[in-house]
Amino acid sequence: MTKKWVYTLGEIDQAEAAVDGDWDKVRGLLGGKGANLGEMNRLGVPVPPGFTITTEACNAYLEAGRTLPPELWDQVLAALRAMEEETGKRFGDPSSPLLVSCRSGAKFSMPGMMDTVLDIGLNDEVTDGMIKLTGDERFAYDSYRRLIQMFGTVVLGIRDEPFEDTLAIFREERGVKSDSDLTGEDLRDIVAKFKEIVRRRARIEFPSSAEEQLRMAVEAVFSSWNGKRARDYRQAANIAHDLGTGVNVVTMVYGNLGDNSATGVAMSRNATTGENALEGDYLMNAQGEDVVAGTRPTKPLNELRGEMPAIYEEFESIARRLEKHYREMQDMEFTVERGKLWILQTRTGKRTAQAAVRIAVELAEEGLITREEAVLRLDPAQIEFFLHPQFSAAAKAGTSPLAHGLNVSPGAATGRVAFDPDLAERWAKENGREVLLVRPETKPDDVHGMLAAEGILTSSGGRTSHAALVARQFGKPAVVGAAELKIDLGARSMTVGELEIREGDWISIDGTTGEVFEGKLDTVVPDITDQWLARLMDWADEFRRLGVRANADYPEDAERARKYGAEGIGLCRTEHMFFEPERLPIVQRMITTRSPGERREAVAALLPFQRKDFAGLFRAMDGLPVIIRLIDPPLHEFLPAFEELTRELADLQIQITSARTLDEVEEITDKLSETRSMLDRVGSLRESNPMLGLRGVRLGILIPELTRMQVRAVIEAACEVSQDGVKAIPEIMIPLTSHVNELERQRGVLEAEAKKVMEEQGVEVSYQFGTMIEVPRAALTADQIAEYAEFLSFGTNDLTQTTFAMSRDDAESGFLVEYIGQGILPTNPFATLDEDGVAKLMGLAVAGARKTRPDIETGVCGEHGGDPASIAICDRLGLNYVSCSPYRVPIARLSAAQSALRARDLKSRRPPPRAAQRT
Amino acid sequence: MTKKWVYTLGEIDQAEAAVDGDWDKVRGLLGGKGANLGEMNRLGVPVPPGFTITTEACNAYLEAGRTLPPELWDQVLAALRAMEEETGKRFGDPSSPLLVSCRSGAKFSMPGMMDTVLDIGLNDEVTDGMIKLTGDERFAYDSYRRLIQMFGTVVLGIRDEPFEDTLAIFREERGVKSDSDLTGEDLRDIVAKFKEIVRRRARIEFPSSAEEQLRMAVEAVFSSWNGKRARDYRQAANIAHDLGTGVNVVTMVYGNLGDNSATGVAMSRNATTGENALEGDYLMNAQGEDVVAGTRPTKPLNELRGEMPAIYEEFESIARRLEKHYREMQDMEFTVERGKLWILQTRTGKRTAQAAVRIAVELAEEGLITREEAVLRLDPAQIEFFLHPQFSAAAKAGTSPLAHGLNVSPGAATGRVAFDPDLAERWAKENGREVLLVRPETKPDDVHGMLAAEGILTSSGGRTSHAALVARQFGKPAVVGAAELKIDLGARSMTVGELEIREGDWISIDGTTGEVFEGKLDTVVPDITDQWLARLMDWADEFRRLGVRANADYPEDAERARKYGAEGIGLCRTEHMFFEPERLPIVQRMITTRSPGERREAVAALLPFQRKDFAGLFRAMDGLPVIIRLIDPPLHEFLPAFEELTRELADLQIQITSARTLDEVEEITDKLSETRSMLDRVGSLRESNPMLGLRGVRLGILIPELTRMQVRAVIEAACEVSQDGVKAIPEIMIPLTSHVNELERQRGVLEAEAKKVMEEQGVEVSYQFGTMIEVPRAALTADQIAEYAEFLSFGTNDLTQTTFAMSRDDAESGFLVEYIGQGILPTNPFATLDEDGVAKLMGLAVAGARKTRPDIETGVCGEHGGDPASIAICDRLGLNYVSCSPYRVPIARLSAAQSALRARDLKSRRPPPRAAQRT
């Protein structure tokens, strides 16, 4: 049987039957756009007649080395004949010309990334025919020049500049501002020039055959699937490269046929706030691309209600119907051709994180989706967005905006101005600079620079412009259409009134308000008090199994963590407290002295500090568990660096030769001897691989007085706060255990101290002893370790380092970059847990530990604890909790809920009936 | 029922029944000495009547805080009554006194380490009675003074010096050389002095009650189990601390009752060479301790044949009977009391490694044991002994011995003279010096110094002296009884004739010949051509399953490895070749250049060197596999150290300020810029944890031209040697893989190069690609890795480092020492594979890899490949081979055989019938 490569919009039922009614597969086969066109047609929504070439055809074409599969073209021609029948027009026939658009449409929406050619079917004769039919020479030649320009750039790969330059010359010669002010005669001349450009640049004659135009356009769409910008986008958005794109060939309709014509785009809900109200832009008497390109100032959609009340009402009703059908906020394109409304496209609407949350919550409350679905709809990364910096009130009070634009993607961003995306990327990646990408408007080619930038600022474009869409999707603060900015790309500067801002200068933008500021404004991170988010997080908490704790070293952090929903502290790094200026000298004395007495004194001097630290944490976490990790890093981290001391010594030796007085000599000699002695000690503590050296429990075993002091501080603090009715639940964690005996010894010493303190204080504190699992051997022998550990916490940073034998410090600035670039590693294992290796080890550990101690508490306290993909792994491993930075607690809560829901879904998954899935 | 704490020698059947006939448990219950006494008694060998207090009694005593368990003493008294009945004498009765010895006897023989008290039962009255009965005042008082001296030192803890000083004073006053020349009257006075010493030093009266003496002696034996020297010995010999010691109370017999009395010790075969002939020392008219202490020159045993022909014949027959019964060479003590032969003790004889091999082989050939048992009897460490250095012929030709002694433990040793064991230990451990321990004679207290020393030299003592026994057991070269040496411990020097040797001077000893040399003689390592060893190794090869390869980087090493029985090269470290003076500059140029062209040139320049190296290896291993590991270490290892360059730079900067001529300035400036540029490059290659950094396959991926060159060299070399009919079997090994993709990429690049070379050369080489498993992740994902690896080799050094997160460089000179000392780690995991952690990971890897590729070849190439305990683990893991240094190949062969035999034994183990086990 012949393969069916082409489906007309009316054949959507056949397409669905071909993939066993699986709607996801329909979208895979026809692409999202094609599937939606067919679906809209079936729903009775007015869609111009057309057909879709399948993604399978695209893949077949690319696999065959850019050759159309046999019979494809016959099927296209048959579908064209069907369109001709339906419209009563004929493709390439000047007397009744059928014109078509040719657009890509992949399974997942990739806005602006794929190529489109409009007005296919025009040539000299057909244009003449059009003029006869419409009496509108200007419209006919404008369409023709658009076809040649789009065909030239998209299909033939000619740069856009010669076309645009030609238009600019004409505008200048005619003294007009806009292309729409050019006359039909002008446009006829322009068509001739454009054909000349094609001839000169592509060395071919612009094809006059309508079918030839269509065939070349279809092949260009297919080929664009493998274009650089498409690949880059897919890379960034994590879309598979083997899906292929469909091609949609649809009857052209025109919004530029007079005052009873219009064109526009609209969202069924507000894409910035999520409010349940139609939102969009339109232009009277214009083509769709005029709206998207932002070259003409658009009108807000609600003005259409006044200009075309019946059309507005019809459109509003269709929007509701589509939203209800797709159970999701819709992004629609429409055209009114001489009073007739056509819907050209509908798709799931992009939105800000704030809008995403509100829309999900309201859809659930309206009963369109379930609460589970609402929770699953959010990308956890979007939550991070709520935690994006905002400018501090003080910073804003002290300045006034330089310019205003559209607030298309919220959050505050500061950075150095970069006027081109390559520079933005280079500055950000190579120099580590914060960069703001500033462009007149952005194009798909600019995405790499947008991703590298802290934020995006454009001087033109609207809410649905490329810049706005991309910024929202990737959570970059953005202000677009700030028309007061005059950008001179050649001079690499921009001016606002008198002020000139040059490339490299600092500016600040507020994507929440649309303001642009000169210089670098201070930012603060907001509290997440959004009512919709709060509701969503409540639902998430109901669904999740996995606990969420926070890593916090200071009471402020603990308080924030608790506010964000942390159910305890999963990691307090006690040594962070040692670095404070007041304490560091004591710590250094403790390390450098060779006298046991002096060491004891120094340790004792640290006790009150630590007790105070811990008391603060206990108060903040009243009634919740607090895991306190005993000292972990190698001691030399508390001392000056060896190289620094060596340099200092050399300097002093040079100084002494030029000393003039005996006093000076004496002073330098003293310093010399001090430096030498410090150098000695630092030298003796140097290790060839400190990561694998004297740290963690090894320190506790060699210097038991230090960890004993820490445990004393923990228990004393717990006793102290209990007098104020605060319930402290300390969990004392021993780091870097590799052998059960380490734990046994150290726990013995520490437990004795804890008992002693409780007896001294006459207070009973309920506490636990546990250990980090951050060394492969600890994971492998977790059954033994669980004999002495009441809880285990996976230190996945170190566990990843040792499991891979990869030093993070060295690798992330070195070969790891190369590895990820070359695809040797699929992701950075320090960002997302390595499932096959590190997580496998964790699984062995959990199983082993539970064999010994079935109720043992297990968690993760590495950075992975805040990464959604890693959280899902931890959930599957059956851990009790993840612990992450306070800011990531909401992300972890949502991720944990999604993981639980997905697991539930996997367990109970049945092929859902078609109706249930789509209505 | 009352616990039975005491067994008479006649009750050996009861003891055996009490432990279900398990003879090993009988030895556990009664101690080796007690069990053997009972066994000899049962066999009809003449043993003086006596009884044994069980090891259980010892443990009960120690656990109860040094309190005898109830009823123990009643049982002792009952056993004493039985002895009285048998001998017709009475304990403490002057008219017919029974005297007894009291000796420790643990399950495993611990020569000289436990305490003995003789002549218990003597007091003033009994001594008088003895004189009346024997008419020998001298004998009676000599026995009495021995009792007081031994009781004083062993039971009461008085130092030996006051007793010995007293004897020395008497000898001096009387003008005699030997104690045996003192008269009965002298000895009576000495007894009075000795009692005074006890009174003054121990503040008690020497107990006159025989029972009191016995009770105190028994408790002292019990307590000595936990004495420092016993614990040290057990630590060194790996004997459990909870076995406890038995106490043997046996009727005293006397070899010093005249010319029809004698005493001696003997081995049933020669303990040095293994020859099947009685060997021993004896003294006429003497006590046993005189023989062991070496205070009187002993006679070789065969002279007894002339002096006491009947006794000799009886003894010889008993020795044969005992050897046949125990199926093992015996070490016996005997006494002839007035013409009656008594056997006081028999036990398995200590022997040199050479003797151990010959005895095992001959016992098997005589049919006393099986070949399997012969192979199992050798401690693999003893094989190492065959590889001990010997003095080179040239070194010996150039000098002549300073002195001669007894060649009690073979092998050559050189070191600095240390006259006391503490100093020997300190010098060896803290200063890393080679030390020879030189003492007049050694005592159990000296063992720590003996273990630390390269060899042992004494000026007195015989073949069975403490020094000889300990040296043999621990494989230390030793010369004893070198009487020409006059040692002055006070002056810390010794003289030989005119020559004075001071502490710290170098000397050399040859334990194989008994020679002592001045200075430091050159040593060579002998070939293992011993005929008995060769036979034993043949048997071992028949029994083992595990293959044995060698780690060798040079053709010489490969040749030696092959001679020692290696079945291939398990690891050739190609980078060792890069360090040779001719090549290092090229390697440095390759690393430091920033020009790709120059780098290519440098790599190309290395090719001929590597090809030559590999060709040499292939010729040496003709027909056997050779695993060649591609470059592994971080590149900075080939460059000067950062600190060195920093210092050099500082020096140059100072030099330039004092330069006088323009030429000088120019020269220094050139050097400065060169040094700066090298420092730059070294700085950029520095890593915080090089062990976990850019090395292994990571280098191969970043600099593929380097590993490609190595593979080209391998294949070109294989092609080259094949023209001479040599069969090269290269296995190309990629180091440090942590992710299968690394292997896939690298193998792709290298395989293409290999194919290219074979095409160029027109020769087909059979080769394999494989990888090291030295990173936990590689072990965990071995199923994936086996897709691209045809063989796996465990790099257990690095695998141990990463599994423990323990840098060997840092740990072994730091906390690891403390860990092993404190017993936190049972052994050094870099010496013996960590079974619970690292070996578990290896087991997972083997299982995973075999799932993917059932016939995958697996081996070990870390240092563990030469460690017997680790080899047994590798055998259990089912690896195909171990690879170790050429010198350890024979050890590995034996260990592998033993492991296989033990596994076989475990599988077929049935409780053996009593007769089979003991006859």
Side-chain angles (χ1 to χ4, degrees), chain B residues 20-333:
Chain B
D20 307 319
D22 183 335
W23 189 247
D24 189 62
K25 287 189 182 160
V26 175
R27 288 167 40 85
L29 181 68
L30 301 181
K33 199 177 285 171
N36 282 348
L37 288 173
E39 186 73 353
M40 283 195 288
N41 186 62
R42 180 156 62 187
L43 288 171
V45 171
V47 183
F51 61 86
T52 303
I53 307 174
T54 65
T55 57
E56 294 174 348
C58 171
N59 285 332
Y61 171 82
L62 293 173
E63 270 162 34
R66 312 213 166 189
T67 305
L68 291 177
E71 317 210 15
L72 169 59
W73 202 247
D74 291 344
Q75 295 183 21
V76 166
L77 294 180
L80 267 175
R81 294 298 93 83
M83 281 169 74
E84 288 174 345
E85 209 145 299
E86 197 173 344
T87 56
K89 300 177 179 174
R90 296 216 8 221
F91 197 45
D93 180 351
S95 67
S96 171
L98 173 66
L99 301 184
V100 301
S101 65
C102 178
R103 292 169 195 255
S104 65
K107 179 168 181 180
F108 300 106
S109 171
M110 295 160 68
M113 301 295 285
M114 301 296 297
D115 298 298
T116 300
V117 183
L118 302 175
D119 297 314
I120 291 173
L122 282 175
N123 55 23
D124 293 353
E125 291 74 34
V126 173
T127 304
D128 286 347
M130 287 272 285
I131 295 169
K132 278 188 198 130
L133 285 171
T134 61
D136 189 343
E137 187 184 22
R138 211 209 142 272
F139 162 68
Y141 275 109
D142 189 45
S143 299
Y144 196 13
R145 76 91 191 159
R146 282 173 198 263
L147 169 63
I148 300 171
Q149 183 174 357
M150 293 177 97
F151 195 92
T153 54
V154 169
V155 179
L156 302 176
I158 301 167
R159 294 177 55 212
D160 206 32
E161 281 79 353
F163 296 110
E164 287 296 331
D165 289 351
T166 305
L167 285 170
I169 289 164
F170 269 83
R171 283 197 303 269
E172 202 170 320
E173 279 180 4
R174 300 293 175 271
V176 299
K177 275 197 159 174
S178 161
D179 292 347
S180 58
D181 295 327
L182 294 171
T183 64
E185 214 168 321
D186 292 338
L187 289 162
R188 195 182 53 205
D189 293 347
I190 286 169
V191 162
K193 295 273 184 205
F194 276 17
K195 284 192 192 164
E196 181 57 31
I197 289 171
V198 168
R199 199 175 298 118
R200 232 178 34 243
R201 303 257 170 172
R203 295 168 190 279
I204 62 162
E205 204 63 39
F206 175 75
S208 62
S209 152
E211 284 184 13
E212 175 77 359
Q213 288 170 11
L214 181 61
R215 198 188 46 72
M216 289 176 76
V218 166
E219 292 198 32
V221 170
F222 282 164
S223 297
S224 75
W225 176 257
N226 272 341
K228 182 180 182 317
R229 63 190 199 191
R231 297 194 73 89
D232 283 354
Y233 183 94
R234 290 200 295 272
Q235 195 82 41
N238 214 6
I239 294 174
H241 290 300
D242 63 354
L243 297 175
T245 181
V247 182
N248 298 293
V249 177
V250 174
T251 308
M252 285 296 300
V253 292
Y254 294 94
N256 55 348
L257 289 183
D259 290 342
N260 56 353
S261 298
T263 191
V265 296
M267 302 280 189
S268 62
R269 300 187 184 221
N270 186 300
T272 306
T273 66
E275 196 192 348
N276 186 1
L278 269 184
E279 185 212 20
D281 308 278
Y282 77 102
L283 284 170
M284 296 299 288
N285 195 17
Q287 288 267 53
E289 52 176 333
D290 299 328
V291 178
V292 177
T295 45
R296 272 169 60 187
T298 57
K299 300 184 187 175
L301 189 67
N302 54 13
E303 289 185 16
L304 189 66
R305 195 195 295 262
E307 295 200 272
M308 293 177 159
I311 291 290
Y312 184 85
E313 201 171 312
E314 184 186 359
F315 180 73
E316 194 175 34
S317 145
I318 289 170
R320 287 284 150 245
R321 203 173 346 144
L322 287 173
E323 194 178 73
K324 196 164 175 190
H325 176 75
Y326 288 110
R327 308 188 312 130
E328 188 39 301
M329 175 249 215
Q330 293 298 301
D331 172 357
M332 299 152 290
E333 289 180 19

Side-chain angles (χ1 to χ4, degrees), chain B residues 585-607:
Chain B
I586 309 177
V587 174
Q588 294 185 339
R589 200 165 68 234
M590 174 189 80
I591 297 169
T592 52
T593 182
R594 296 188 193 268
S595 136
E598 207 175 331
R599 168 172 286 183
R600 267 195 306 276
E601 267 171 40
V603 167
L606 289 170
L607 175 66

Side-chain angles (χ1 to χ4, degrees), chain B residues 362-380:
Chain B
E362 290 197 324
L363 285 176
E365 290 180 341
E366 290 160 21
L368 271 181
I369 59 174
T370 63
R371 289 179 172 191
E372 287 85 347
E373 284 173 304
V375 166
L376 282 168
R377 284 219 174 151
L378 268 284
D379 178 349

Side-chain angles (χ1 to χ4, degrees), chain A residues 456-487:
Chain A
I456 296 127
L457 171 63
T458 69
S459 55
S460 60
R463 290 202 178 282
T464 47
S465 66
H466 178 264
L469 291 174
V470 172
R472 278 208 285 276
Q473 189 176 11
F474 291 107
K476 298 277 175 194
V479 172
V480 305
E484 297 148 275
L485 304 176
K486 306 295 163 213
I487 300 173

